[in-house]
Amino acid sequence: MTTKALLFDFDGLLMDTETTLLESWRGEWRRHGLELDPAGFFADHGGDTNESRYAALAAAVGPGYDRESSHRLRMAHRSRLNAALEPAPGIIGWLDRAAELGLRLAVASSSAITHVGTMLDQAGLRARFEVVATGDEVAAYKPDPAVYHIALDRLGLPAREALAFEDTPHGVAAARAAGLRCVAIPNPHADHARFMAADLLLPSAVALSLDAVLAEFARQADLASPCPAQRLARPENADWS
């Protein structure tokens, strides 16, 4: 089975915008003299869930809460945090090697193009991706596979000729539902135990070269194991700290 394209999630995978999101909310709670409980902060689906987060903060602050001011200050804080972000470790090496191998590249994200495009431009990555499919183009977010279907349609490729890369369990579920084989690199806030549906589980893009990733999928294809859990691989001596 020949791999012709790589499809990447964006938030938490290409860049650690999940941490900046959490920190922007922590800052807003602390501005009101409160502490945010991170348990349950990240939803089990893609898309914008900030309205429920504002509602929770408003309930904690009480009648004096100013939603408009809170949003403005939080977004300014997050913009400052995002401005310091660089691509996740190992990602540039993978993208460079993909170009050398002639692999086509796409982004498939539940976030809006205004966010994804801005961050890709900031990192100098946008020109590397032939296709960028985002959440404002679909009616349902991951774990729904719609955004992956769009990306594959634009590439003109069947799912069997592509690999997906994800950082969340619901992202893996979306990729698998689209018929894609999937590499999982859990973001710092994800539970590694929830990634059993992934075909390959890595601590970071530094853990394996892209050639080794492709070789692993070639090996899995030869084995033709029907059980995702049996296909799960962890590189020896990988740093999971």
Side-chain angles (χ1 to χ4, degrees):
M1 186 183 302
T2 302
T3 299
K4 296 181 179 178
L6 310 180
L7 283 64
F8 292 87
D9 177 50
F10 179 74
D11 291 296
L13 191 284
L14 292 180
M15 302 178 78
D16 188 14
T17 50
E18 300 286 36
T19 294
T20 62
L21 175 65
L22 176 59
E23 289 306 314
S24 75
W25 277 101
R26 276 181 170 149
E28 195 56 20
W29 277 69
R30 288 170 180 167
R31 191 172 68 85
H32 291 90
L34 302 168
E35 282 295 325
L36 170 65
D37 182 358
F41 177 82
F42 291 101
D44 285 333
H45 57 82
D48 188 348
T49 59
N50 281 325
E51 285 308 315
S52 62
R53 293 168 179 155
Y54 282 117
L57 180 54
V61 173
Y65 180 68
D66 184 336
R67 163 71 167 74
E68 182 177 347
S69 173
S70 181
H71 175 70
R72 183 176 66 255
L73 291 170
R74 187 187 70 80
M75 291 300 291
H77 184 194
R78 192 182 186 200
S79 292
R80 291 191 294 272
L81 295 173
N82 281 345
L85 284 181
E86 296 182 353
I91 289 295
I92 294 298
W94 276 7
L95 298 181
D96 287 343
R97 184 57 177 152
E100 293 171 356
L101 294 172
L103 295 173
R104 300 167 69 188
L105 299 177
V107 170
S109 170
S110 286
S111 294
I113 187 61
T114 50
H115 167 67
V116 176
T118 297
M119 295 303 298
L120 288 174
D121 287 339
Q122 172 186 305
L125 296 180
R126 192 161 187 170
R128 292 176 179 255
F129 293 95
E130 178 180 345
V131 167
V132 177
T134 53
D136 35 10
E137 301 179 83
V138 296
Y141 304 119
K142 298 174 185 177
D144 190 283
V147 75
Y148 275 115
H149 289 315
I150 289 177
L152 288 168
D153 285 346
R154 290 177 180 166
L155 289 167
L157 293 175
R160 67 179 179 275
E161 294 182 356
L163 295 181
F165 295 80
E166 280 285 352
D167 71 298
T168 62
H170 58 267
V172 172
R176 297 291 290 165
L180 289 155
R181 297 162 293 160
C182 187
V183 178
I185 303 177
N187 70 56
H189 314 286
D191 180 358
H192 293 174
R194 298 183 60 205
F195 286 84
M196 293 301 291
D199 297 278
L200 181 64
L201 181 63
L202 300 175
S204 75
V206 177
L208 283 183
S209 68
L210 183 60
D211 292 86
V213 170
L214 296 172
E216 172 61 18
F217 277 94
R219 184 188 69 82
Q220 290 182 10
D222 288 340
L223 292 175
S225 172
C227 176
Q230 292 177 353
R231 294 197 299 266
L232 186 64
R234 295 188 182 207
E236 292 183 4
N237 302 319
D239 180 7
W240 285 85
S241 61

